Amino acid sequence: MRYRALGRTGIEVSEVGYGAWGIGGKQWLGGDDEESRSALRRAIELGLNFIDTALAYGEGHSEKLVGEIVRESHGKVWVATKVPPKNLLWPARPGIAIDECFPYDYTIRCTETSLRNLKAETIDLQQFHVWNPEWLASDDWRRAIEDLKKSGKVRSFGISINDHQPDSAIDAIHTGLIDTVQVIYNVFDQSPEKNLFPLCVEKGIGVLARVPLDEGALTGAITPDSQFEKDDFRGRYFRGDRKQQVVDHVETLKKDLKGVEGSLAEIALRFCLSAPAVSTVIPGMRKTRNVESSCGVSEKGPLPADVLARVKQHAWDRNFYL
Ligand SMILES: NC(=O)c1ccc[n+]([C@@H]2O[C@H](COP(=O)([O-])OP(=O)(O)OC[C@H]3O[C@@H](n4cnc5c(N)ncnc54)[C@H](OP(=O)(O)O)[C@@H]3O)[C@@H](O)[C@H]2O)c1
């Protein structure tokens, strides 16, 4: 496993981090806690030292599992979590004031709840789970960040940017209060490369590349017959003719990648790591075999220039979260 600086935080993170949404058990179904524990343990054994969870993932369940495994591990494992918007609406909607999402007292209270779930004294990286640039002038979020850092409850602070809106965090970065951004970045959504990534490099902002496998589409596992349990979020994400659209895009991509070493998922993760602005890529991995496959890509390094050029042709502008 190779490591990169998480921006200017002083933290060195493994190139492959662990996305802990799926292990929360409420929105991704079909997993179980023992399987999740084994996956987390194996990831750490392979050198992974960064986990991204959230208070909202299974209403604290993901944080509790992560805390348990991190406490039993020998080396340092950095943990990032998130404050859910108070109105529980993802993504942040225009015109909704910050007191409906991140009022000062609420942000402090959620951080304290996360600390209890994780059984930790400090959160290495706390993040707002949505962001709306209209909140920039408000005092609530600025004061919360400053006070949480001063009290030692939080070491660094970031924004998890609304789906497919990378530029919405640019003004917040310019305030100097934000240490990291978490953004959708994958073969299909390459939009952060345009404005966000150059600014992050310039300002020393850590970048967490989230949803690197497009919720499973970029593993090649989605077929027109894929079925999800009731209440599994992917049932909505891949609804109607979207499964067929995914198959069509993935088939064209695979044709272009003929002869390239590794599975589609591995190539998709290497694509993310080919961007120097990315500090860590955080696939969700409930299965140990997926942990082994994903962690293995770090040693392979960025994609060769000719392969990268081919992959770049496959950007696909759409929003399946709506
Ligand atoms: N708003 C936000 O802040 C937000 C929103 C979404 C996600 N996130 C973060 O980003 C993380 C990643 O996104 P995600 O988990 O939604 O989706 P993802 O990483 O794009 O895809 C996860 C899927 O890929 C499979 N997979 C992982 N590694 C694989 C490999 N090497 N080969 C084949 N299949 C593989 C997983 O299978 P198994 O699970 O069965 O192993 C799972 O089905 C989340 O866990 C969360 O931490 C944040």
Side-chain angles (χ1 to χ4, degrees):
M1 180 68 78
R2 299 181 197 187
Y3 300 83
R4 294 186 185 185
L6 183 62
R8 60 185 181 216
T9 61
I11 296 175
E12 289 277 314
V13 286
S14 48
E15 288 192 335
V16 181
Y18 191 100
W21 183 18
I23 64 168
K26 284 249 162 87
Q27 285 133 329
W28 286 69
L29 302 175
D32 73 68
D33 289 354
E34 254 335 288
E35 180 186 61
S36 306
R37 286 187 183 95
S38 303
L40 279 164
R41 285 191 187 110
R42 183 71 181 129
I44 293 169
E45 211 171 83
L46 291 171
L48 179 147
N49 77 350
F50 181 79
I51 303 176
D52 176 69
T53 180
L55 183 52
Y57 296 168
E59 290 150 23
H61 188 67
S62 171
E63 287 184 331
K64 286 177 189 162
L65 275 177
V66 167
E68 178 192 326
I69 302 304
V70 165
R71 280 194 306 283
E72 72 178 38
S73 74
H74 298 299
K76 173 68 188 163
V77 179
W78 305 101
V79 176
T81 192
K82 311 186 192 79
V83 186
K86 190 171 179 217
N87 62 4
L88 295 179
L89 285 178
W90 280 264
R93 316 291 203 262
I96 295 202
I98 194 163
D99 23 311
E100 290 187 43
C101 292
F102 300 119
Y104 174 86
D105 290 344
Y106 168 82
T107 301
I108 307 288
R109 235 181 15 253
C110 286
T111 303
E112 287 164 350
T113 307
S114 292
L115 282 167
R116 279 194 297 278
N117 287 340
L118 291 161
K119 294 205 174 99
E121 284 179 5
T122 303
I123 287 169
D124 302 310
L125 173 63
Q126 178 62 296
Q127 306 159 94
F128 291 121
H129 207 149
V130 296
W131 183 250
N132 176 353
E134 294 165 12
W135 299 334
L136 213 68
S138 144
D139 199 37
D140 285 58
W141 68 279
R142 294 167 182 258
R143 227 165 20 99
I145 292 178
E146 281 164 3
D147 290 354
L148 283 168
K149 282 189 176 179
K150 242 184 265 157
S151 66
K153 288 179 182 157
V154 161
R155 175 179 169 139
S156 47
F157 220 107
I159 285 177
S160 191
I161 304 177
N162 277 0
D163 307 322
H164 307 303
Q165 297 175 17
D167 290 357
S168 65
I170 280 178
D171 289 342
I173 291 173
H174 282 295
T175 65
L177 289 168
I178 296 300
D179 304 301
T180 65
V181 289
Q182 177 172 152
V183 65
I184 296 182
Y185 181 56
N186 58 42
V187 171
F188 293 147
D189 184 353
Q190 305 175 18
S191 59
E193 290 173 7
K194 193 166 173 227
N195 302 317
L196 183 70
F197 284 178
L199 184 65
C200 289
V201 171
E202 182 197 324
K203 302 278 185 194
I205 302 298
V207 173
L208 322 186
R210 85 164 184 253
V211 198
L213 300 173
D214 187 29
E215 310 293 8
L218 284 164
T219 68
I222 301 298
T223 73
D225 304 321
S226 294
Q227 299 274 348
F228 300 99
E229 290 179 42
K230 187 178 167 287
D231 297 332
D232 189 313
F233 123 93
R234 290 168 296 174
R236 253 196 93 238
Y237 192 81
F238 295 115
R239 70 181 179 269
D241 75 341
R242 291 174 172 187
K243 289 191 276 282
Q244 186 59 52
Q245 292 182 44
V246 164
V247 171
D248 294 345
H249 280 264
V250 166
E251 283 309 313
T252 326
L253 175 62
K254 275 175 37 194
K255 247 186 241 155
D256 261 6
L257 291 174
K258 222 163 166 205
V260 179
E261 186 207 341
S263 69
L264 178 62
E266 290 164 3
I267 297 167
L269 295 174
R270 285 178 76 196
F271 165 80
C272 297
L273 290 174
S274 301
V278 168
S279 315
T280 181
V281 61
I282 52 165
M285 310 171 282
R286 293 170 301 170
K287 299 199 183 63
T288 301
R289 69 161 189 276
N290 287 337
V291 164
E292 290 171 348
S293 149
S294 300
C295 288
V297 306
S298 170
E299 283 303 321
K300 294 185 180 145
L303 290 172
D306 63 314
V307 178
L308 189 58
R310 269 184 270 158
V311 175
K312 290 238 179 195
Q313 304 302 312
H314 290 270
W316 178 18
D317 186 16
R318 89 303 192 222
N319 189 351
F320 279 6
Y321 294 97
L322 298 178

